[in-house]
Amino acid sequence: MTQAFDVVVIGGGPGGYIGAIRAAQLGLSVACVDAWTNAKNKPSLGGTCLNVGCIPSKALLESSENYERAGHHFAEHGVMVGQLSLDLPQMLARKDRIVDQLTGGVAYLFKKHKVTSFHGHGRFDGSAEDGFRVVVSSPKGEETVLQGRHVIIATGSVPRPIPAAPVDNEFILDNVGALSMTAVPKRLGVIGAGVIGLEMGSVWKRLGSEVTLLEALDAFLPAADEQVSREALRMLTKDQGLDIRLGAKVTQVARKGKALKVTYSDAHGEQVLDVDRLIVAVGRVPNTEGLQLESVGVPCDARGFIEVDGHCRTAVPGIWAVGDAVRGPMLAHKAEEEGVAVAEQIAGQQSHVDFNTIPWVIYTAPEMAWVGQTEQQLRAQGVDYRTGVFPFAANGRAKSLGETRGFVKILADRQTDRMLGVHILGPFASELITEAVVALEFHASSEDIARIVHAHPALSEVFHEAALAVDGRSLNM
Ligand code: FAD
Ligand code: AMP
């Protein structure tokens, strides 16, 4: 028997589960189909983000930072710890508990909002009288047929594989293996010095690994503002001790007993790196496997992303797609906002996502966060701009925290003073960036920020001072 819904969502990650909840809030009948099964063989909602992405990585980043603080920074505060030791199983168990709580939280929210949850793999099976048929195959092989007036595809992404380094999650790891190594490897290699590579490399470096990152590009973090990437590279290599090799393209990985020989080519020719474990973090690709999109005529682009317009509409009216499976940054908050916008459009509202004000964050130490245009983008566009930069070193709260590295940089149009971009390298950049997002969303000028009262002592005063610096009138420098 077919079960009919106003909306069937395929995928229970941030794009799918948030879209499902919003649609239910708006009075629509909603089903959400999700295939995720966790290491305990249990269904686990929340997708990549909650299970093996944003949340577990941040849990381990925090734990490993505490370990580093206790080992290297507590003494400066007069806090003496005896013999420092690492209980890795406890650290991993804490991470797993957080994941369980949050994924269980999504299941609770589905019950609360009356979203009907189906565990299994969903695929299209052509159009129905009023909408589309979606077949759910459970892990036991049972099939359920759903019918949705609308279908939201939120199937996310999977790690990009590279032939040179096939993942076995024992020696060669993707994000799943990198988040659950049961021993700290002596020598850890990471292919790709992007967001995930840097975060995972930071965790294991703090816990004691010698970490080498091999990055094919000659430029470090080219998407970030050039001043941020330059300074961050210096801090991550000099202060944190990450060995980041740019222009290093991995060509082969060979297993030698319990170790790996990684061959890569750089400007000087062929090089070899010996490691005990290797993380592959060369980006992610959209996941549309087994969806049978052809049965409903939904096209993908040349890179495999489901084709959508600015409103997340596919070529087929009634079928929508959001999150990592479509164009745009692969970020959980982008997926969530698209999920909300689609649910509201289905309910007849005029919602959209402002792609110009999506914040980016990299949770290294110090953190990096930015929104809007970089200096190199403005230069390339020939925009006439002014720059205001203020360092955390001149801020009382940063000094109290012992986190004085980095700066806030504001770029504003020279004529109108409208803020065009904000770039932060420093403590809690992930939190501070929100003020910048609000400013850009409300088309603020740097003068607006300069005239807003900021609490003292607070890290946000650095943002205030950077706004004053645009007009050459910083007060504390
Ligand atoms: P996903 O979260 O990938 O969810 C898709 C879901 O759909 C999965 O549960 C999958 O099993 C299910 N599915 C797929 N196909 C089917 C099918 N046919 N039938 C049924 N179910 C299906 N982003 C941030 O914003 N901040 C961060 O700090 C951050 N950290 C990250 C760290 C790591 C290590 C990784 C890997 C990613 C990180 N991301 C971060 C990215 C973030 O996880 C993704 O952008 C986000 O999860 C995308 O959400 P989504 O809903 O599109 O897809
Ligand atoms: P991100 O997309 O932020 O996760 O970053 C992935 C990074 O991996 C990018 O900076 C790529 O340039 C890099 N990369 C891709 N393929 C290779 C390779 N074969 N060797 C080294 N780095 C690579």
Side-chain angles (χ1 to χ4, degrees), residues 23 39 43 89 97 140 148 162 169 175 179 183 254 274 328 347 350 385 396 400 447 463:
R97 256 194 323 275
K140 287 186 189 145
I162 50 170
N169 269 330
N175 57 302
L179 287 162
D274 292 308
Q350 306 284 322
Y385 61 91
S400 320
E447 187 66 21
F463 187 56

Side-chain angles (χ1 to χ4, degrees), residues 220-240:
F220 179 65
L221 290 178
D225 183 86
E226 56 198 10
Q227 195 174 348
V228 169
S229 36
R230 195 171 52 240
E231 279 298 300
L233 180 61
R234 198 179 56 75
M235 290 175 193
L236 294 172
T237 51
K238 291 236 161 57
D239 303 351
Q240 199 165 314

Side-chain angles (χ1 to χ4, degrees), residues 18-310:
I18 289 289
I21 289 172
R22 185 70 189 119
Q25 278 178 343
L26 291 164
L28 299 161
S29 63
V30 184
C32 182
V33 184
D34 186 72
W36 200 282
T37 304
N38 66 16
K40 288 171 236 155
N41 226 7
K42 295 252 164 48
S44 186
L45 290 163
T48 302
C49 170
L50 264 53
N51 287 287
V52 292
C54 323
I55 299 303
S57 60
K58 265 79 260 176
L60 288 187
L61 279 156
E62 188 60 29
S63 295
S64 61
E65 222 173 321
N66 278 338
Y67 181 67
E68 178 156 306
R69 283 188 196 116
H72 300 286
H73 303 295
F74 276 11
E76 190 195 328
H77 293 263
V79 179
M80 299 306 173
V81 280
Q83 184 64 40
L84 185 70
S85 66
L86 174 67
D87 184 345
L88 184 57
Q90 161 66 14
M91 197 179 277
L92 296 176
R94 175 182 180 274
K95 175 220 32 157
D96 291 340
R97 256 194 323 275
I98 294 170
V99 168
D100 285 348
Q101 281 163 4
L102 291 175
T103 54
V106 178
Y108 160 79
L109 289 171
F110 274 5
K111 283 208 184 78
K112 178 177 164 190
H113 292 281
K114 302 193 170 46
V115 172
T116 310
S117 190
F118 292 89
H119 179 57
H121 182 274
R123 66 175 192 274
F124 283 100
D125 182 28
S127 303
E129 210 173 289
D130 182 21
F132 310 92
R133 255 188 318 276
V134 172
V135 178
V136 185
S137 311
S138 79
K140 287 186 189 145
E142 292 147 3
E143 296 211 326
T144 311
V145 182
L146 310 180
Q147 184 182 312
R149 234 171 14 89
H150 291 262
V151 178
I152 305 175
I153 307 169
T155 48
S157 62
V158 289
R160 177 196 304 282
I162 50 170
V167 167
D168 58 13
N169 269 330
E170 196 189 346
F171 285 86
I172 304 180
L173 319 165
D174 59 15
N175 57 302
V176 177
L179 287 162
S180 33
M181 275 193 272
T182 51
V184 179
K186 185 167 176 314
R187 299 163 305 173
L188 175 66
V190 181
I191 313 182
V195 180
I196 295 172
L198 286 172
E199 291 188 2
M200 291 298 93
S202 296
V203 165
W204 295 103
K205 171 71 196 167
R206 291 171 195 154
L207 299 180
S209 294
E210 288 161 26
V211 178
T212 308
L213 292 105
L214 302 173
E215 167 56 56
L217 299 177
D218 292 324
F220 179 65
L221 290 178
D225 183 86
E226 56 198 10
Q227 195 174 348
V228 169
S229 36
R230 195 171 52 240
E231 279 298 300
L233 180 61
R234 198 179 56 75
M235 290 175 193
L236 294 172
T237 51
K238 291 236 161 57
D239 303 351
Q240 199 165 314
L242 291 174
D243 180 352
I244 301 175
R245 303 185 188 173
L246 300 174
K249 194 166 184 347
V250 174
T251 51
Q252 202 191 0
V253 179
R255 176 94 176 266
K256 285 263 162 359
K258 291 201 166 190
L260 299 164
K261 234 178 210 341
V262 182
T263 308
Y264 64 94
S265 59
D266 65 11
H268 308 289
E270 200 170 272
Q271 315 284 346
V272 172
L273 175 75
D274 292 308
V275 295
D276 302 301
R277 292 288 183 280
L278 181 66
I279 297 173
V280 182
V282 296
R284 297 177 64 84
V285 289
N287 176 24
T288 53
E289 206 183 304
L291 260 181
Q292 283 188 191
L293 290 172
E294 62 288 352
S295 77
V296 280
V298 169
C300 293
D301 69 17
R303 294 188 304 153
F305 289 96
I306 296 170
E307 259 173 4
V308 288
D309 65 8

